[in-house]
Coordinates of all heavy atoms in Angstrom, one line a residue:
M988 N 23.5 0.6 14.5 CA 22.2 0.7 14.0 C 21.3 0.8 15.3 O 21.5 0.2 16.3 CB 21.8 -0.5 13.2 CG 20.4 -0.5 12.7 SD 19.9 -1.9 11.7 CE 21.3 -2.1 10.6
Y989 N 20.3 1.7 15.2 CA 19.4 2.0 16.4 C 18.3 1.0 16.4 O 17.6 0.8 15.4 CB 18.9 3.4 16.2 CG 18.0 3.8 17.3 CD1 18.4 4.1 18.6 CD2 16.6 4.0 17.0 CE1 17.5 4.4 19.6 CE2 15.8 4.4 18.0 CZ 16.2 4.6 19.3 OH 15.3 5.0 20.3
D990 N 18.0 0.5 17.6 CA 16.8 -0.4 17.8 C 15.7 0.4 18.5 O 15.9 0.8 19.6 CB 17.2 -1.6 18.6 CG 16.1 -2.6 18.8 OD1 15.1 -2.5 18.0 OD2 16.2 -3.5 19.6
P991 N 14.6 0.7 17.8 CA 13.6 1.5 18.4 C 12.8 0.9 19.5 O 12.2 1.6 20.3 CB 12.6 1.9 17.2 CG 12.8 0.7 16.3 CD 14.2 0.3 16.4
F992 N 12.9 -0.4 19.7 CA 12.1 -1.1 20.7 C 12.8 -1.1 22.1 O 12.2 -1.1 23.1 CB 11.8 -2.5 20.3 CG 11.0 -2.6 19.0 CD1 11.5 -3.0 17.8 CD2 9.6 -2.2 19.0 CE1 10.8 -3.0 16.7 CE2 8.9 -2.2 17.9 CZ 9.4 -2.6 16.7
T993 N 14.1 -1.1 22.1 CA 14.9 -1.2 23.3 C 15.6 0.1 23.6 O 16.3 0.2 24.6 CB 15.9 -2.3 23.3 OG1 16.8 -2.1 22.2 CG2 15.1 -3.7 23.1
D994 N 15.6 1.1 22.7 CA 16.3 2.4 22.9 C 17.8 2.2 23.0 O 18.4 2.8 23.8 CB 15.7 3.2 24.0 CG 14.4 3.8 23.7 OD1 14.1 4.0 22.5 OD2 13.6 4.0 24.7
S995 N 18.3 1.2 22.4 CA 19.7 1.0 22.4 C 20.2 0.7 21.0 O 19.5 0.6 20.0 CB 20.1 -0.3 23.3 OG 19.5 -1.4 22.7
T996 N 21.5 0.7 20.8 CA 22.1 0.4 19.5 C 22.3 -1.1 19.3 O 22.6 -1.8 20.3 CB 23.4 1.1 19.4 OG1 24.3 0.7 20.4 CG2 23.2 2.6 19.4
R997 N 22.0 -1.5 18.1 CA 22.2 -2.9 17.8 C 23.7 -3.1 17.4 O 24.4 -2.2 16.9 CB 21.4 -3.3 16.5 CG 20.0 -3.4 16.7 CD 19.4 -3.7 15.4 NE 18.0 -4.2 15.5 CZ 17.2 -4.3 14.5 NH1 17.6 -4.1 13.3 NH2 16.0 -4.7 14.7
P998 N 24.2 -4.3 17.7 CA 25.6 -4.6 17.3 C 25.6 -4.7 15.8 O 24.7 -5.1 15.1 CB 25.9 -5.9 17.9 CG 24.6 -6.5 18.2 CD 23.7 -5.4 18.5
D999 N 26.7 -4.3 15.2 CA 26.9 -4.3 13.7 C 26.8 -5.7 13.3 O 27.5 -6.6 13.8 CB 28.2 -3.7 13.3 CG 28.3 -3.5 11.9 OD1 27.3 -3.4 11.2 OD2 29.5 -3.4 11.4
Q1000 N 26.0 -6.0 12.3 CA 25.8 -7.4 11.8 C 26.6 -7.6 10.5 O 26.2 -8.5 9.7 CB 24.4 -7.6 11.6 CG 23.6 -7.5 12.9 CD 22.1 -7.8 12.7 OE1 21.7 -8.0 11.6 NE2 21.4 -7.8 13.8
G1001 N 27.6 -6.8 10.2 CA 28.4 -7.0 9.0 C 27.7 -6.3 7.8 O 26.9 -5.4 7.9
D1002 N 28.1 -6.7 6.6 CA 27.6 -6.1 5.4 C 26.4 -6.9 4.9 O 26.5 -7.6 3.9 CB 28.7 -6.1 4.4 CG 29.8 -5.1 4.8 OD1 29.5 -4.2 5.5 OD2 31.0 -5.4 4.3
L1003 N 25.3 -6.8 5.6 CA 24.0 -7.4 5.1 C 23.4 -6.6 4.0 O 23.4 -5.4 4.0 CB 23.0 -7.5 6.3 CG 23.3 -8.5 7.4 CD1 22.3 -8.4 8.5 CD2 23.4 -9.9 6.9
P1004 N 22.9 -7.3 3.0 CA 22.3 -6.5 1.9 C 21.0 -5.9 2.4 O 20.3 -6.5 3.3 CB 22.0 -7.5 0.8 CG 22.0 -8.8 1.5 CD 23.0 -8.7 2.7
P1005 N 20.5 -4.8 1.9 CA 19.3 -4.2 2.3 C 18.1 -5.1 1.9 O 18.1 -5.8 0.9 CB 19.2 -2.9 1.6 CG 20.1 -3.0 0.4 CD 21.2 -4.0 0.8
M1006 N 17.1 -5.1 2.8 CA 15.9 -5.9 2.6 C 14.8 -5.1 1.9 O 13.9 -4.6 2.6 CB 15.4 -6.5 3.9 CG 16.4 -7.4 4.6 SD 15.7 -8.3 6.0 CE 15.6 -7.0 7.2
N1007 N 14.9 -4.9 0.6 CA 14.0 -4.1 -0.1 C 12.9 -4.8 -0.7 O 12.1 -4.1 -1.4 CB 14.8 -3.4 -1.2 CG 15.9 -2.4 -0.7 OD1 15.7 -1.9 0.4 ND2 16.9 -2.2 -1.4
G1008 N 12.7 -6.0 -0.5 CA 11.6 -6.8 -1.2 C 10.2 -6.4 -0.9 O 9.3 -6.4 -1.7
V1009 N 10.0 -6.0 0.4 CA 8.6 -5.7 0.8 C 8.2 -4.4 0.2 O 7.1 -4.2 -0.2 CB 8.6 -5.7 2.4 CG1 7.2 -5.2 2.8 CG2 8.9 -7.0 2.9
G1010 N 9.1 -3.4 0.2 CA 8.7 -2.1 -0.4 C 8.5 -2.2 -1.9 O 7.5 -1.6 -2.4
T1011 N 9.3 -3.0 -2.6 CA 9.1 -3.2 -4.0 C 7.8 -4.0 -4.3 O 7.0 -3.7 -5.2 CB 10.3 -4.0 -4.6 OG1 11.5 -3.3 -4.3 CG2 10.1 -4.2 -6.1
A1012 N 7.5 -5.0 -3.4 CA 6.2 -5.7 -3.6 C 5.0 -4.8 -3.4 O 4.0 -5.0 -4.1 CB 6.2 -6.9 -2.6
S1013 N 5.1 -3.9 -2.4 CA 4.0 -3.0 -2.2 C 3.7 -2.1 -3.4 O 2.6 -1.9 -3.8 CB 4.2 -2.1 -1.0 OG 5.2 -1.1 -1.3
L1014 N 4.8 -1.7 -4.1 CA 4.6 -0.8 -5.3 C 4.0 -1.7 -6.4 O 3.1 -1.2 -7.2 CB 5.9 -0.2 -5.7 CG 5.8 0.8 -6.9 CD1 4.9 1.9 -6.6 CD2 7.1 1.2 -7.3
V1015 N 4.4 -2.9 -6.6 CA 3.9 -3.8 -7.7 C 2.4 -4.1 -7.4 O 1.6 -4.0 -8.3 CB 4.8 -5.1 -7.7 CG1 4.1 -6.1 -8.6 CG2 6.2 -4.8 -8.2
V1016 N 2.1 -4.4 -6.2 CA 0.7 -4.7 -5.9 C -0.2 -3.4 -6.0 O -1.3 -3.5 -6.5 CB 0.6 -5.3 -4.4 CG1 -0.9 -5.4 -4.0 CG2 1.3 -6.6 -4.3
A1017 N 0.3 -2.3 -5.7 CA -0.4 -1.0 -5.9 C -0.7 -0.8 -7.4 O -1.7 -0.3 -7.8 CB 0.3 0.1 -5.2
L1018 N 0.4 -1.0 -8.2 CA 0.2 -0.8 -9.6 C -0.8 -1.8 -10.2 O -1.6 -1.5 -11.1 CB 1.5 -1.0 -10.3 CG 2.5 0.2 -10.1 CD1 3.8 -0.1 -10.8 CD2 1.9 1.5 -10.6
A1019 N -0.8 -3.0 -9.7 CA -1.8 -4.0 -10.1 C -3.2 -3.6 -9.7 O -4.2 -3.7 -10.5 CB -1.5 -5.4 -9.6
A1020 N -3.4 -3.0 -8.5 CA -4.7 -2.5 -8.1 C -5.1 -1.3 -8.9 O -6.3 -1.2 -9.2 CB -4.6 -2.1 -6.6
I1021 N -4.2 -0.5 -9.3 CA -4.6 0.6 -10.2 C -5.1 0.1 -11.6 O -6.1 0.6 -12.1 CB -3.4 1.6 -10.4 CG1 -3.1 2.3 -9.1 CG2 -3.6 2.6 -11.6 CD1 -1.8 3.1 -9.1
A1022 N -4.4 -0.9 -12.1 CA -4.8 -1.5 -13.3 C -6.2 -2.2 -13.2 O -7.1 -2.1 -14.1 CB -3.8 -2.5 -13.8
F1023 N -6.4 -2.9 -12.1 CA -7.7 -3.6 -11.9 C -8.9 -2.6 -11.7 O -10.0 -2.9 -11.9 CB -7.7 -4.6 -10.8 CG -6.9 -5.8 -11.1 CD1 -6.5 -6.7 -10.1 CD2 -6.7 -6.2 -12.4 CE1 -5.9 -7.9 -10.4 CE2 -6.0 -7.4 -12.7 CZ -5.6 -8.2 -11.7
L1024 N -8.6 -1.4 -11.2 CA -9.6 -0.5 -10.8 C -10.4 0.0 -12.1 O -11.6 0.2 -12.0 CB -9.0 0.7 -10.1 CG -10.0 1.8 -9.7 CD1 -10.9 1.3 -8.6 CD2 -9.2 3.0 -9.1
W1025 N -9.8 0.1 -13.2 CA -10.4 0.7 -14.4 C -10.9 -0.4 -15.3 O -11.4 0.0 -16.4 CB -9.4 1.6 -15.1 CG -9.0 2.6 -14.1 CD1 -7.7 2.8 -13.6 CD2 -9.8 3.7 -13.5 NE1 -7.7 3.8 -12.7 CE2 -8.9 4.4 -12.7 CE3 -11.1 4.0 -13.6 CZ2 -9.4 5.5 -11.9 CZ3 -11.5 5.1 -12.8 CH2 -10.7 5.8 -12.0
V1026 N -10.8 -1.7 -15.0 CA -11.4 -2.7 -15.9 C -12.7 -3.2 -15.3 O -12.8 -3.5 -14.1 CB -10.4 -3.9 -15.9 CG1 -11.0 -5.0 -16.8 CG2 -9.1 -3.5 -16.5
P1027 N -13.8 -3.2 -16.1 CA -15.1 -3.6 -15.5 C -15.0 -5.0 -14.9 O -14.4 -5.9 -15.5 CB -16.0 -3.5 -16.7 CG -15.3 -2.6 -17.7 CD -13.9 -2.7 -17.4
M1028 N -15.7 -5.1 -13.8 CA -15.8 -6.4 -13.0 C -14.5 -6.8 -12.4 O -14.5 -7.7 -11.6 CB -16.4 -7.5 -13.9 CG -17.8 -7.2 -14.3 SD -18.9 -6.8 -13.0 CE -18.9 -8.3 -12.0
L1029 N -13.4 -6.3 -12.7 CA -12.1 -6.6 -12.0 C -11.9 -5.7 -10.8 O -11.0 -5.9 -10.0 CB -10.9 -6.6 -13.0 CG -10.8 -7.7 -13.9 CD1 -9.5 -7.6 -14.7 CD2 -10.8 -9.0 -13.2
Y1030 N -12.7 -4.6 -10.7 CA -12.5 -3.7 -9.6 C -12.9 -4.4 -8.3 O -12.6 -3.9 -7.2 CB -13.3 -2.4 -9.8 CG -14.8 -2.5 -9.8 CD1 -15.5 -2.5 -8.7 CD2 -15.5 -2.7 -11.0 CE1 -16.9 -2.6 -8.7 CE2 -16.8 -2.9 -11.0 CZ -17.5 -2.8 -9.9 OH -18.9 -3.0 -9.9
L1031 N -13.6 -5.5 -8.4 CA -13.9 -6.3 -7.2 C -12.7 -6.8 -6.5 O -12.7 -7.0 -5.3 CB -14.9 -7.4 -7.5 CG -16.3 -7.0 -8.0 CD1 -17.1 -8.2 -8.4 CD2 -17.0 -6.2 -7.0
F1032 N -11.6 -7.0 -7.3 CA -10.4 -7.5 -6.7 C -9.5 -6.4 -6.2 O -8.4 -6.6 -5.7 CB -9.6 -8.3 -7.8 CG -10.3 -9.6 -8.2 CD1 -10.8 -9.6 -9.5 CD2 -10.5 -10.6 -7.4 CE1 -11.5 -10.8 -9.9 CE2 -11.2 -11.8 -7.8 CZ -11.7 -11.8 -9.1
T1033 N -10.0 -5.2 -6.4 CA -9.1 -4.0 -6.1 C -9.0 -3.8 -4.6 O -7.9 -3.5 -4.2 CB -9.7 -2.8 -6.8 OG1 -9.8 -3.1 -8.2 CG2 -8.8 -1.6 -6.6
W1034 N -10.0 -3.9 -3.9 CA -9.9 -3.5 -2.5 C -9.0 -4.4 -1.7 O -8.2 -3.9 -0.9 CB -11.3 -3.3 -1.8 CG -12.0 -4.6 -1.6 CD1 -12.9 -5.2 -2.4 CD2 -11.9 -5.4 -0.4 NE1 -13.4 -6.3 -1.9 CE2 -12.8 -6.5 -0.6 CE3 -11.2 -5.4 0.8 CZ2 -12.9 -7.5 0.3 CZ3 -11.4 -6.4 1.7 CH2 -12.2 -7.5 1.4
P1035 N -9.0 -5.7 -1.9 CA -7.9 -6.5 -1.2 C -6.5 -6.2 -1.6 O -5.6 -6.1 -0.8 CB -8.3 -8.0 -1.5 CG -9.6 -8.0 -2.2 CD -9.9 -6.6 -2.6
L1036 N -6.3 -5.9 -2.9 CA -5.0 -5.5 -3.4 C -4.5 -4.2 -2.8 O -3.4 -4.1 -2.4 CB -5.0 -5.5 -4.9 CG -5.0 -6.8 -5.7 CD1 -5.1 -6.6 -7.2 CD2 -3.9 -7.7 -5.3
S1037 N -5.5 -3.3 -2.7 CA -5.1 -2.0 -2.1 C -4.7 -2.1 -0.6 O -3.8 -1.4 -0.2 CB -6.1 -0.9 -2.4 OG -7.3 -1.3 -1.7
V1038 N -5.4 -2.9 0.1 CA -5.1 -3.1 1.5 C -3.8 -3.8 1.7 O -3.0 -3.5 2.5 CB -6.3 -3.9 2.2 CG1 -5.9 -4.3 3.6 CG2 -7.5 -3.0 2.2
I1039 N -3.5 -4.8 0.8 CA -2.3 -5.5 0.8 C -1.1 -4.6 0.5 O -0.1 -4.6 1.2 CB -2.3 -6.7 -0.1 CG1 -3.2 -7.8 0.4 CG2 -0.9 -7.3 -0.3 CD1 -3.5 -8.9 -0.5
A1040 N -1.3 -3.7 -0.5 CA -0.3 -2.7 -0.8 C 0.0 -1.8 0.3 O 1.1 -1.4 0.6 CB -0.7 -2.0 -2.1
M1041 N -1.1 -1.4 1.0 CA -0.9 -0.5 2.1 C -0.1 -1.1 3.3 O 0.8 -0.5 3.9 CB -2.2 0.1 2.6 CG -2.8 1.1 1.7 SD -4.5 1.5 2.1 CE -4.3 2.0 3.8
V1042 N -0.4 -2.4 3.6 CA 0.2 -3.1 4.7 C 1.7 -3.3 4.3 O 2.6 -3.1 5.1 CB -0.5 -4.5 4.9 CG1 0.4 -5.3 5.8 CG2 -1.8 -4.2 5.6
L1043 N 2.0 -3.8 3.1 CA 3.3 -4.0 2.7 C 4.1 -2.7 2.6 O 5.3 -2.7 3.0 CB 3.4 -4.7 1.3 CG 2.9 -6.2 1.2 CD1 2.9 -6.7 -0.2 CD2 3.8 -7.0 2.1
G1044 N 3.5 -1.6 2.2 CA 4.1 -0.3 2.2 C 4.5 0.1 3.6 O 5.5 0.7 3.8
A1045 N 3.6 -0.1 4.5 CA 3.9 0.3 5.9 C 5.0 -0.5 6.5 O 5.9 0.1 7.2 CB 2.6 0.1 6.8
V1046 N 5.1 -1.8 6.2 CA 6.2 -2.6 6.6 C 7.5 -2.1 6.0 O 8.6 -2.0 6.6 CB 5.9 -4.1 6.4 CG1 7.2 -4.9 6.6 CG2 4.8 -4.6 7.2
G1047 N 7.4 -1.8 4.7 CA 8.6 -1.4 4.0 C 9.1 0.0 4.5 O 10.3 0.2 4.6
L1048 N 8.2 0.9 4.8 CA 8.5 2.2 5.4 C 9.2 2.0 6.8 O 10.1 2.7 7.1 CB 7.3 3.1 5.5 CG 6.9 3.7 4.2 CD1 5.5 4.4 4.4 CD2 7.9 4.7 3.7
N1049 N 8.7 1.0 7.6 CA 9.2 0.8 8.9 C 10.7 0.2 8.7 O 11.6 0.6 9.5 CB 8.4 -0.2 9.6 CG 8.8 -0.4 11.1 OD1 9.5 0.5 11.6 ND2 8.5 -1.5 11.7
R1050 N 10.9 -0.7 7.8 CA 12.2 -1.2 7.5 C 13.2 -0.1 7.1 O 14.3 -0.1 7.4 CB 12.2 -2.3 6.5 CG 11.7 -3.6 7.1 CD 11.8 -4.7 6.1 NE 11.3 -6.0 6.6 CZ 11.3 -7.1 5.9 NH1 11.7 -7.1 4.7 NH2 10.8 -8.2 6.5
A1051 N 12.7 0.8 6.2 CA 13.5 1.9 5.8 C 13.8 2.9 6.9 O 14.9 3.4 7.0 CB 12.8 2.7 4.6
R1052 N 12.9 3.1 7.8 CA 13.1 4.0 8.9 C 14.1 3.4 9.9 O 15.0 4.2 10.4 CB 11.8 4.2 9.7 CG 11.9 5.2 10.8 CD 10.6 5.4 11.6 NE 10.0 4.2 12.0 CZ 10.3 3.6 13.2 NH1 11.3 4.1 14.0 NH2 9.8 2.4 13.6
T1053 N 14.2 2.1 10.1 CA 15.1 1.5 11.0 C 16.5 1.2 10.3 O 17.4 0.7 11.0 CB 14.6 0.2 11.6 OG1 14.2 -0.7 10.6 CG2 13.3 0.5 12.5
G1054 N 16.6 1.4 9.0 CA 17.8 1.2 8.4 C 18.0 -0.1 7.8 O 19.1 -0.4 7.3
L1055 N 17.0 -1.0 7.8 CA 17.1 -2.3 7.2 C 16.9 -2.3 5.7 O 17.3 -3.3 5.0 CB 16.2 -3.3 7.9 CG 16.4 -3.5 9.3 CD1 15.3 -4.4 9.9 CD2 17.7 -4.2 9.6
A1056 N 16.3 -1.3 5.1 CA 16.0 -1.2 3.7 C 16.4 0.2 3.2 O 16.6 1.1 4.0 CB 14.5 -1.4 3.4
T1057 N 16.6 0.3 1.9 CA 17.1 1.6 1.3 C 16.1 2.1 0.3 O 16.4 3.1 -0.3 CB 18.4 1.3 0.6 OG1 18.3 0.3 -0.4 CG2 19.5 0.9 1.6
N1058 N 14.9 1.6 0.2 CA 14.0 2.0 -0.8 C 12.7 2.7 -0.1 O 11.6 2.2 -0.3 CB 13.6 0.9 -1.7 CG 12.9 -0.3 -1.0 OD1 12.9 -0.3 0.2 ND2 12.2 -1.1 -1.7
R1059 N 13.0 3.7 0.6 CA 11.9 4.4 1.3 C 10.8 5.0 0.3 O 9.6 4.9 0.5 CB 12.4 5.5 2.1 CG 11.4 6.2 3.0 CD 12.1 7.3 3.8 NE 11.1 7.8 4.8 CZ 10.3 8.8 4.6 NH1 10.4 9.5 3.4 NH2 9.5 9.3 5.5
S1060 N 11.3 5.5 -0.8 CA 10.4 6.1 -1.7 C 9.5 5.1 -2.5 O 8.3 5.3 -2.8 CB 11.1 7.0 -2.8 OG 12.1 6.2 -3.5
T1061 N 10.1 3.9 -2.7 CA 9.3 2.8 -3.3 C 8.2 2.3 -2.4 O 7.1 2.1 -2.8 CB 10.2 1.7 -3.7 OG1 11.3 2.2 -4.6 CG2 9.5 0.6 -4.5
A1062 N 8.6 2.2 -1.1 CA 7.6 1.7 -0.2 C 6.5 2.8 0.1 O 5.3 2.5 0.2 CB 8.3 1.4 1.2
A1063 N 6.9 4.1 0.1 CA 5.9 5.1 0.2 C 5.0 5.2 -1.0 O 3.8 5.4 -0.9 CB 6.6 6.5 0.4
G1064 N 5.6 5.0 -2.2 CA 4.7 4.9 -3.4 C 3.7 3.8 -3.3 O 2.6 4.0 -3.8
G1065 N 4.1 2.6 -2.8 CA 3.2 1.5 -2.7 C 2.1 1.8 -1.7 O 0.9 1.5 -1.9
F1066 N 2.5 2.4 -0.5 CA 1.5 2.7 0.5 C 0.5 3.7 0.0 O -0.7 3.5 0.1 CB 2.2 3.2 1.8 CG 1.3 3.6 2.9 CD1 0.7 2.6 3.7 CD2 0.9 4.9 3.1 CE1 -0.2 3.0 4.7 CE2 0.1 5.3 4.1 CZ -0.5 4.3 4.9
F1067 N 1.0 4.9 -0.5 CA 0.1 5.9 -0.9 C -0.7 5.6 -2.2 O -1.8 6.0 -2.4 CB 0.8 7.2 -1.1 CG 1.2 7.8 0.3 CD1 2.5 7.9 0.6 CD2 0.2 8.2 1.2 CE1 2.9 8.4 1.9 CE2 0.6 8.7 2.4 CZ 1.9 8.8 2.8
G1068 N -0.1 4.7 -3.0 CA -0.8 4.2 -4.2 C -2.0 3.3 -3.8 O -3.1 3.5 -4.3
G1069 N -1.8 2.5 -2.8 CA -2.9 1.6 -2.3 C -3.9 2.5 -1.6 O -5.1 2.2 -1.8
L1070 N -3.5 3.5 -0.9 CA -4.5 4.4 -0.3 C -5.3 5.2 -1.3 O -6.5 5.3 -1.2 CB -3.7 5.4 0.7 CG -4.6 6.3 1.5 CD1 -5.5 5.6 2.4 CD2 -3.7 7.3 2.2
G1071 N -4.6 5.7 -2.3 CA -5.3 6.4 -3.4 C -6.3 5.5 -4.1 O -7.4 5.9 -4.4
V1072 N -5.9 4.3 -4.4 CA -6.8 3.3 -5.1 C -8.1 3.0 -4.2 O -9.2 3.0 -4.7 CB -6.1 2.0 -5.5 CG1 -7.1 0.9 -5.9 CG2 -5.1 2.3 -6.6
L1073 N -7.8 2.9 -2.9 CA -9.0 2.6 -2.0 C -9.9 3.8 -2.0 O -11.1 3.6 -2.0 CB -8.4 2.3 -0.6 CG -9.4 1.7 0.4 CD1 -9.9 0.3 -0.2 CD2 -8.7 1.4 1.7
I1074 N -9.4 5.0 -2.0 CA -10.3 6.2 -2.0 C -11.1 6.3 -3.3 O -12.3 6.6 -3.2 CB -9.4 7.5 -1.7 CG1 -8.9 7.5 -0.3 CG2 -10.2 8.7 -2.0 CD1 -7.9 8.5 0.0
V1075 N -10.4 6.1 -4.4 CA -11.1 6.1 -5.7 C -12.1 5.0 -5.8 O -13.2 5.3 -6.3 CB -10.1 6.0 -6.8 CG1 -10.8 5.8 -8.2 CG2 -9.2 7.3 -6.9
L1076 N -11.8 3.9 -5.2 CA -12.8 2.8 -5.3 C -14.0 3.1 -4.5 O -15.2 2.8 -4.9 CB -12.2 1.5 -4.7 CG -13.1 0.2 -4.7 CD1 -13.4 -0.2 -6.1 CD2 -12.4 -0.9 -4.0
V1077 N -13.9 3.7 -3.3 CA -15.0 4.1 -2.5 C -15.9 5.1 -3.2 O -17.1 5.0 -3.2 CB -14.5 4.6 -1.1 CG1 -15.7 5.3 -0.4 CG2 -14.0 3.4 -0.3
L1078 N -15.2 6.1 -3.9 CA -15.9 7.1 -4.6 C -16.7 6.5 -5.8 O -17.8 6.9 -6.1 CB -15.0 8.2 -5.1 CG -14.4 9.1 -4.0 CD1 -13.4 10.1 -4.6 CD2 -15.5 9.9 -3.3
V1079 N -16.1 5.6 -6.5 CA -16.7 4.9 -7.7 C -17.9 4.1 -7.2 O -19.0 4.2 -7.8 CB -15.7 4.1 -8.4 CG1 -16.4 3.2 -9.4 CG2 -14.7 4.9 -9.2
V1080 N -17.8 3.4 -6.1 CA -18.9 2.6 -5.6 C -20.0 3.5 -5.1 O -21.2 3.2 -5.4 CB -18.5 1.6 -4.5 CG1 -19.6 1.0 -3.8 CG2 -17.6 0.5 -5.2
A1081 N -19.7 4.6 -4.5 CA -20.7 5.5 -4.0 C -21.5 6.2 -5.2 O -22.7 6.4 -5.1 CB -20.1 6.6 -3.1
I1082 N -20.7 6.5 -6.2 CA -21.4 7.1 -7.4 C -22.3 6.1 -8.1 O -23.4 6.4 -8.5 CB -20.3 7.6 -8.4 CG1 -19.7 8.9 -7.8 CG2 -21.0 7.9 -9.7 CD1 -18.5 9.4 -8.5
M1083 N -21.8 4.8 -8.2 CA -22.6 3.8 -8.8 C -23.9 3.4 -8.0 O -24.9 3.1 -8.6 CB -21.8 2.5 -9.0 CG -20.8 2.6 -10.1 SD -19.9 1.1 -10.5 CE -20.1 0.0 -9.3
L1084 N -23.8 3.6 -6.7 CA -25.0 3.3 -5.9 C -25.9 4.4 -5.7 O -27.0 4.3 -5.1 CB -24.6 2.7 -4.5 CG -23.8 1.4 -4.6 CD1 -23.4 1.0 -3.2 CD2 -24.7 0.3 -5.2
S1085 N -25.6 5.6 -6.2 CA -26.4 6.8 -6.0 C -27.6 6.7 -7.0 O -27.5 6.0 -8.0 CB -25.6 8.1 -6.2 OG -25.3 8.2 -7.6
R1086 N -28.6 7.4 -6.7 CA -29.8 7.4 -7.6 C -29.8 8.5 -8.6 O -30.8 8.7 -9.3 CB -31.0 7.5 -6.7 CG -31.1 6.3 -5.7 CD -32.4 6.3 -5.1 NE -33.5 6.3 -6.1 CZ -34.7 6.1 -5.9 NH1 -35.1 5.8 -4.6 NH2 -35.6 6.1 -6.8
G1087 N -28.8 9.3 -8.7 CA -28.8 10.4 -9.7 C -29.0 11.7 -9.0 O -29.4 11.8 -7.9
P1088 N -28.9 12.8 -9.8 CA -29.0 14.1 -9.2 C -30.5 14.4 -8.8 O -30.7 15.2 -7.8 CB -28.5 15.0 -10.2 CG -28.7 14.3 -11.5 CD -28.5 12.8 -11.2
L1089 N -31.4 13.9 -9.5 CA -32.8 14.2 -9.2 C -33.5 13.0 -8.4 O -34.7 13.1 -8.1 CB -33.6 14.5 -10.5 CG -33.1 15.6 -11.3 CD1 -33.8 15.8 -12.6 CD2 -33.1 16.9 -10.5
G1090 N -32.8 11.9 -8.2 CA -33.4 10.8 -7.5 C -34.4 10.0 -8.4 O -35.2 9.3 -7.9
V1091 N -34.4 10.2 -9.7 CA -35.3 9.6 -10.6 C -34.9 8.2 -11.0 O -35.6 7.3 -11.1 CB -35.6 10.5 -11.8 CG1 -36.5 9.8 -12.8 CG2 -36.1 11.9 -11.4
F1092 N -33.6 8.1 -11.3 CA -33.1 6.8 -11.9 C -32.7 5.9 -10.8 O -32.0 6.0 -10.0 CB -31.9 7.1 -12.8 CG -32.4 8.0 -14.0 CD1 -32.0 9.3 -14.0 CD2 -33.1 7.5 -15.0 CE1 -32.4 10.1 -15.1 CE2 -33.5 8.2 -16.0 CZ -33.2 9.5 -16.1

């Protein structure tokens, strides 16, 4: 196994099971953020969930890149799901704070 920090190979550590928990957790948190985004007054909990999903997804993608995990697509889904929720949340808040097309309301 390749160690990206020392540019050397790691010694084989036997048959360790893959560490897929972080990637799976990122997808679950991203799905919870998607659910909270569309419920009135629960969208306030959405931005921390989306940031947590993005962080967990990045860690899961790093583990998949180094060979410690086997669920790269799950971690990517959690990362990009959290990113998409954050973008939608910013757009929804910007629309809610706007004054309308004519500036009357």
